[in-house]
Amino acid sequence: MEKVCYDTQVEPSLLHTLGRPLSMGTITEDGARLDVSTRGFWSKMDRAFFDVKVYNALAPSNLGLGIQETYRSKEKKKKTSYLYRVLEVEGEIFTVDYVDHWRYR
């Protein structure tokens, strides 16, 4: 990512919410972090935050769900936790990326 973007940080701390009301389920604790942030990914000056998760779509906890359903469920959980904090407090972009580990074995 550092080859195509700049100001890349691993596990950057998010800004304090300063008691700002956010959507229910949003993580508001101080010290919250996402996996990566970088500038120039979606547009030249915007900072994008990424949460990357490797999961096993065939794990027993995912049985009974299709791969797309599993992905959407996990994506929704992360968005509930971080989307509004990144949009409203950071004023930046939030992207969730999930990788099914079976695809890359």
Side-chain angles (χ1 to χ4, degrees), residues 1 3 18-19 25 29 31 33 42 59 63-64 69 74 77 88 96 104:
M1 192 173 283
K3 291 183 180 185
L18 302 174
E29 292 83 22
R33 297 174 179 269
W42 296 115
L63 291 179
E69 287 177 87
K74 293 182 181 306
K77 183 177 179 182
E88 295 177 21
V96 179
Y104 298 100

Side-chain angles (χ1 to χ4, degrees), residues 32-89:
R33 297 174 179 269
L34 284 168
D35 293 328
V36 177
S37 74
T38 193
R39 292 191 185 277
F41 188 86
W42 296 115
S43 64
K44 190 164 181 87
M45 296 301 294
D46 286 332
R47 185 176 182 196
F49 287 86
F50 293 86
D51 184 76
V52 181
K53 184 172 184 80
V54 177
Y55 75 102
N56 179 354
L58 303 175
S61 60
N62 296 324
L63 291 179
L65 296 175
I67 292 174
Q68 290 298 322
E69 287 177 87
T70 303
Y71 173 85
R72 274 188 239 118
S73 170
K74 293 182 181 306
E75 180 181 41
K76 183 178 178 181
K77 183 177 179 182
K78 281 295 182 177
K79 282 185 174 181
T80 298
S81 299
Y82 290 103
L83 178 64
Y84 291 105
R85 181 167 181 167
V86 172
L87 291 176
E88 295 177 21
V89 177

